[in-house]
């Protein structure tokens, strides 16, 4: 049987999610931002501290946070409730919760009060910039000073930006479909707001955060960590 072609420079393969929102990467690769977020979780000794994984897909990283003992909520539009219940029973993770919800409909009561760790990889670009601003403001309101946010978004200078109609459009109104061939390759058939480093900083910093670091990955995606002031 012929081995399928790798999707990107990391050797990931195409794994369906919703059919419009890209492929599942987290269970194929444990990248530097995943590692940094988990290492941070391991330093938290407050029994009331909570973590949330936004746009968590199959919930791999959220499960890792829960295994450290943190009260963890995984949020995704793709219903993983049955699978997560099985994981909870298998691993005895009573502190793990799954919320199937469109994050554009999130309210403060959906989130734990003492958010010490917020993590979201490969998701924020599915929101318009104003929608993403609302989300960041919401989570900021549940975070205390010193809490950290780990965030990545698809990059406008990555392969996804090839013939992207949003190039040259201000980030506040940048929201467009990918080029058809790129969309088929990556399974992304929903409009996206692609980011550069300054765009992601502009999204987060005004909501009470300082930048710990922000960079572009080898593929061209933007990865960053922030601390709540």
């Amino acid at each position: 049987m012929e081995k399928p072609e790798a999707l990107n420079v990391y050797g990931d393969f195409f794994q369906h999610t919703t059919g419009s929102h890209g492929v599942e990467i987290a269970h194929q690769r444990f990248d530097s931002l995943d590692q940094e977020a988990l290492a941070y979780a391991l330093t938290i000794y407050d029994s009331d501290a909570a973590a949330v994984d936004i746009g968590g897909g199959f919930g791999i990283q959220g499960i890792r946070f829960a295994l450290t003992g943190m009260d963890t909520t995984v949020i995704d539009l793709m219903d993983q409730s049955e699978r997560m219940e099985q994981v909870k029973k298998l691993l005895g993770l009573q502190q793990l919760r799954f919320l199937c919800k469109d994050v554009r409909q999130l309210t403060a009561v959906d989130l734990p009060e003492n958010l010490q760790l917020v993590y979201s990889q490969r998701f924020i670009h599915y929101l318009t910039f104003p929608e993403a601003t609302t989300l960041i403001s919401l989570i900021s309101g549940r975070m205390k000073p010193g809490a950290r946010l780990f965030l990545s978004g698809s990059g406008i200078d990555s392969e996804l930006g090839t013939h992207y109609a949003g190039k040259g459009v201000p980030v506040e109104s940048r929201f467009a479909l990918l080029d058809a061939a790129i969309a088929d390759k990556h399974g992304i058939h929903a409009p996206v707001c692609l980011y550069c480093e300054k765009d992601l900083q502009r999204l987060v910093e005004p909501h009470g955060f300082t930048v710990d670091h922000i960079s572009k990955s080898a593929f061209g995606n933007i990865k960053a960590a922030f601390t709540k002031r």
Side-chain angles (χ1 to χ4, degrees), residues 32-42 61 65 117 119 150:
S32 60
L33 199 66
D34 298 327
Q35 294 171 41
E36 184 181 2
L38 184 57
Y40 175 63
L42 289 167
Q61 186 74 348
F65 295 150
L117 192 167
Y119 165 93
F150 299 88

Side-chain angles (χ1 to χ4, degrees), residues 21-228:
H21 297 94
V23 302
E24 173 60 28
I25 298 296
H27 77 290
Q28 300 188 63
R29 175 162 39 92
F30 186 45
D31 74 9
S32 60
L33 199 66
D34 298 327
Q35 294 171 41
E36 184 181 2
L38 184 57
Y40 175 63
L42 289 167
T43 69
I44 299 171
Y45 300 107
D46 181 353
S47 60
D48 294 325
V52 65
D53 181 355
I54 300 174
F58 294 167
I60 301 299
Q61 186 74 348
I63 293 168
R64 293 177 181 132
F65 295 150
L67 284 167
T68 72
M70 291 191 74
D71 178 62
T72 303
T73 301
V74 177
I75 304 170
D76 202 90
L77 184 62
M78 182 174 60
D79 192 356
Q80 293 292 303
S81 53
E82 183 176 342
R83 178 177 179 274
M84 296 298 271
E85 282 300 316
Q86 292 174 347
V87 170
K88 284 176 65 173
K89 291 179 181 178
L90 179 65
L91 299 178
L93 294 177
Q94 294 309 309
Q95 65 272 32
L96 179 64
R97 182 171 75 105
F98 178 77
L99 177 62
C100 184
K101 194 167 188 177
D102 187 327
V103 298
R104 292 170 293 191
Q105 306 301 321
L106 278 182
T107 64
V109 296
D110 292 319
L111 299 171
E113 291 186 8
N114 185 18
L115 273 180
Q116 191 67 31
L117 192 167
V118 177
Y119 165 93
S120 183
Q121 277 246 60
R122 310 171 192 93
F123 164 74
I124 200 72
H125 47 268
Y126 291 113
L127 304 179
T128 66
F129 192 84
E131 289 169 344
T133 296
T134 297
L135 176 63
I136 298 300
S137 177
L138 179 67
I139 62 175
S140 176
R142 306 297 267 186
M143 299 171 75
K144 294 180 179 179
R148 299 189 70 196
L149 165 64
F150 299 88
L151 181 66
S152 76
S154 288
I156 199 163
D157 295 322
S158 72
E159 181 178 85
L160 301 187
T162 305
H163 306 305
Y164 172 58
K167 276 198 171 179
V169 177
V171 68
E172 291 83 359
S173 52
R174 183 188 304 150
F175 199 59
L177 293 171
L178 299 180
D179 173 77
I182 297 294
D184 287 342
K185 177 180 178 180
H186 292 273
I188 300 175
H189 298 284
V192 291
C193 175
L194 300 183
Y195 285 85
C196 69
E197 292 97 319
K198 288 183 178 179
D199 294 331
L200 202 64
Q201 182 174 352
R202 187 174 178 181
L203 170 67
V204 176
E205 205 169 28
H207 299 282
F209 291 91
T210 56
V211 179
D212 298 328
H213 63 79
I214 186 165
S215 62
K216 187 185 299 182
S217 73
F219 181 75
N221 290 337
I222 310 304
K223 297 179 180 289
F226 304 87
T227 296
K228 179 71 186 296

